[in-house]
Amino acid sequence: SIVLKELADALDIHLKLHALFRDRAAKKKPVRILIGGGGIAGVETSGEIRNSVRHHGLHRGFDPKLVTVDLVEAAPTILPGLDPWVQQQAMARLKMLGVTVHTGQPITKVDDTSVTMKDGKQLPYDLFLWNGGIKAPAILSQLGEPLVGKQQVGVTPELHLPKNDRIYVVGDSACFIDPKTTRPVPQIAPVAVAEGRLAAANIWRTLRGESLKPYQPMTSGYVFPVGGRWAIS
């Protein structure tokens, strides 16, 4: 698969898509694009590819009907952790664009031409893009704490370990349950920055013999596109 993390990855995907379409246009054979991971990156990517096929054409003379875009998400819904309204709007948009969404189906096996999902169903592909999200570093298993969520460490409201108030965990490695939503806060940069600031402040409070303050997640604004001039904010 090809991952999408940096600008160079996007360029690589762009070039491979155009090469694939040039090859299939001459043979009039279908193009099957498979995207693993239905978080924001997966939804953005599938929507943009499908929109480009419908409105711009990745190759002249190629029939857009020959293109399939499948999005596979292991969780019960796409965009796990976001508001249900956002999930529903994104699902409707992807369906309108012609993206086939498979939820509740972890990918258990991958070979050169297809993936196998948990229920045994196989999905063939010509290009496989991986947006499966973030996995915390292996060093967390050495902290003596049970791992939760996406192999993260559960932290106290003050962001330190439950059994050791001298070790703080923030960002993607920390599983902090928002008391308002009862869901883990998302693994995004604004959350990591805010947690880091509070952890630093609490360390300073410890050195001065002051009481610690709990982390209070703020509802940060966001906007992400789902194909063309359409976005959720």
Side-chain angles (χ1 to χ4, degrees):
S1 67
I2 307 173
V3 297
L4 178 55
K5 293 290 184 183
E6 302 176 354
L7 180 59
D9 300 328
L11 181 59
D12 189 26
I13 292 170
H14 174 84
L15 295 174
K16 282 183 167 59
L17 278 173
H18 279 267
L20 187 59
F21 275 73
R22 284 196 301 270
D23 176 67
R24 297 300 170 87
K27 303 174 183 177
K28 293 185 177 181
K29 290 185 176 181
V31 173
R32 300 162 299 188
I33 302 168
L34 179 63
I35 298 170
I40 291 178
V43 169
E44 284 183 340
T45 305
S46 58
E48 191 57 40
I49 290 176
R50 191 68 222 178
N51 185 71
S52 296
V53 170
R54 292 174 73 238
H55 295 294
H56 306 296
L58 291 175
H59 190 276
R60 292 180 179 179
F62 191 85
D63 185 357
K65 295 179 181 178
L66 293 176
V67 183
T68 60
V69 179
D70 288 84
L71 178 65
V72 181
E73 168 57 42
T77 64
I78 59 170
L79 303 172
L82 295 186
D83 188 86
W85 179 87
V86 175
Q87 298 170 346
Q88 295 164 8
Q89 296 298 317
M91 276 290 290
R93 173 64 176 174
L94 292 175
K95 183 178 180 180
M96 190 278 289
L97 289 172
V99 176
T100 302
V101 180
H102 309 264
T103 56
Q105 288 296 331
I107 293 175
T108 59
K109 182 181 178 182
V110 181
D111 60 34
D112 292 340
T113 58
S114 68
V115 302
T116 303
M117 297 189 292
K118 186 177 180 180
D119 64 357
K121 182 179 179 180
Q122 289 187 316
L123 289 177
Y125 69 85
D126 299 300
L127 185 64
F128 182 25
L129 310 179
W130 182 250
N131 288 302
I134 302 162
K135 183 178 180 180
I139 193 174
L140 296 182
S141 62
Q142 302 174 24
L143 296 178
E145 296 283 349
L147 301 184
V148 295
K150 296 181 179 180
Q151 297 300 293
Q152 303 159 289
V153 174
V155 294
T156 67
E158 296 77 21
L159 300 179
H160 59 68
L161 295 182
K163 298 179 181 178
N164 191 330
D165 61 4
R166 297 304 176 99
I167 298 179
Y168 286 79
V169 183
V170 301
D172 296 339
S173 297
C175 181
F176 181 89
I177 304 299
D178 187 339
K180 293 182 179 179
T181 65
T182 68
R183 297 196 301 264
V185 295
Q187 292 173 293
I188 55 177
V191 169
V193 172
E195 290 179 345
R197 285 173 176 162
L198 179 78
N202 276 342
I203 292 171
W204 179 243
R205 292 186 183 100
T206 298
L207 295 174
R208 299 178 64 175
E210 300 174 357
S211 59
L212 306 183
K213 290 187 176 181
Y215 173 57
Q216 297 179 340
M218 299 294 290
T219 302
S220 58
Y222 60 85
V223 56
F224 60 91
V226 190
R229 300 172 180 173
W230 194 100
I232 297 175
S233 67

